[in-house]
């Protein structure tokens, strides 16, 4: 809301989206740190990270549990990106913002304007909430594993850097 008041919606939306992505990677790195440094009393590591990364590349279907964990971590990131999209939809383009604001102002005098403004706002919220999910699904289904391999490479490099591999 501060971004709308100060006319800096784009900057706030970008920061929110980047914050969600940073949280995703922070949680993934926290999981790697936990697996690396928490050793049970019997001395056997929780997981062999080198083997885990190798198996993720060769047989990702065997690690559905990890995919579910990563997806549950990705949900807050998608919410952040949805909030960023909604912020942008409320601010840009100016003609749309002014049109909806005019409908809201006329809503007190006209039931038709009130109904139409409600429909417009609901449509904006729906598109804003679903657009990051649609975009994510499109990228994942059309990039032939490039995004998955990049994320895997980032996490594997981090595990190597802290001595987990």
């Amino acid at each position: 809301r501060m971004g709308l008041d100060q006319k800096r919606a784009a900057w706030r939306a970008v920061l929110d989206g980047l914050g969600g992505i940073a949280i995703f990677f922070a949680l993934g790195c926290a999981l790697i740190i936990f697996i690396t440094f928490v050793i049970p009393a019997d001395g056997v590591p929780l997981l062999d990270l080198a083997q885990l990364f190798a198996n993720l590349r060769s047989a990702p279907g065997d690690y559905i549990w990890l995919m579910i964990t990563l997806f549950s971590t990705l949900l807050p990131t998608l919410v952040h990106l949805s909030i960023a999209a909604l912020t942008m939809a409320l601010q840009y383009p100016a003609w749309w913002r002014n049109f909806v604001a005019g409908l809201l102002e006329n809503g007190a005098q006209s039931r038709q304007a009130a109904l139409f403004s409600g429909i417009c706002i609901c449509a904006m919220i729906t598109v804003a909430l679903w657009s990051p999910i649609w975009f994510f699904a499109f990228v994942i289904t059309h990039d032939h594993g490039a995004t998955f391999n990049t994320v895997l490479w980032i996490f594997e490099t981090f595990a190597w850097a802290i001595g987990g591999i």
Side-chain angles (χ1 to χ4, degrees):
R1 200 171 88 192
M2 288 175 56
L4 292 176
D5 294 340
Q6 299 170 1
K7 304 295 186 225
R8 291 187 289 182
W11 177 243
R12 301 265 182 187
V14 168
L15 285 179
D16 197 32
L18 291 175
I21 292 168
I23 289 169
F24 172 74
F25 282 105
L27 288 172
C29 290
L31 178 63
I32 291 169
I33 290 170
F34 182 81
I35 291 170
T36 300
F37 294 113
V38 174
I39 306 294
D42 62 1
V44 178
L46 295 172
L47 285 171
D48 179 9
L49 287 176
Q51 186 64 38
L52 175 68
F53 286 117
N55 289 345
L56 279 171
R57 282 199 172 76
S58 63
D62 293 343
Y63 291 91
I64 295 299
W65 63 271
L66 185 59
M67 300 303 171
I68 292 170
T69 302
L70 286 175
F71 182 73
S72 69
T73 305
L74 188 62
L75 288 176
T77 303
L78 291 174
V79 170
H80 277 270
L81 293 174
S82 293
I83 291 170
L86 180 59
T87 301
M88 296 299 289
L90 291 173
Q91 186 68 25
Y92 302 106
W95 65 267
W96 177 254
R97 179 188 66 233
N98 294 336
F99 174 72
V100 174
L103 286 174
L104 286 170
E105 288 175 10
N106 294 334
Q109 291 83 23
S110 167
R111 294 183 74 183
Q112 184 179 7
L115 174 68
F116 193 52
S117 67
I119 291 170
C120 289
I121 290 173
C122 286
M124 289 166 58
I125 291 170
T126 301
V127 169
L129 290 177
W130 280 98
S131 60
I133 296 168
W134 291 330
F135 177 76
F136 179 75
F138 177 80
V139 167
I140 294 300
T141 57
H142 290 85
D143 74 347
H144 306 291
T147 302
F148 175 76
N149 289 330
T150 302
V151 170
L152 193 60
W153 177 82
I154 290 169
F155 286 140
E156 190 173 19
T157 302
F158 177 76
W160 175 82
I162 64 169
I165 296 179

